[in-house]
Amino acid sequence: MSPSKCPHCKGEIKLETVQRETKGVGFIKQEIMYSCPHCGSVLGFSRGKFMS
Ligand SMILES: [Zn+2]
């Protein structure tokens, strides 16, 4: 997987550095919110795997 760039600050987003915040409890309604480590902008949501 290649690194992507933040649409807001053009910072490089890597799987190792992306900010993750898990929403929801348990496995029924769990979402992972990804945000830019540079500017904190929300990049998107995912259920389960990272931007697969
Ligand atoms: Zn950014």
Side-chain angles (χ1 to χ4, degrees):
M1 184 190 137
S2 58
S4 55
K5 286 189 176 178
C6 173
H8 304 284
C9 70
K10 313 298 180 192
E12 198 174 82
I13 311 297
K14 290 179 182 174
L15 184 58
E16 304 87 61
T17 58
V18 70
Q19 305 268 308
R20 265 167 278 200
E21 192 177 320
T22 305
K23 305 270 187 186
V25 179
F27 56 89
I28 296 173
K29 205 184 172 186
Q30 191 168 57
E31 285 190 335
I32 302 170
M33 185 184 84
Y34 298 99
S35 58
C36 176
H38 306 290
C39 69
S41 296
V42 176
L43 300 172
F45 295 88
S46 165
R47 290 172 187 273
K49 290 172 185 169
F50 179 82
M51 298 179 186
S52 56

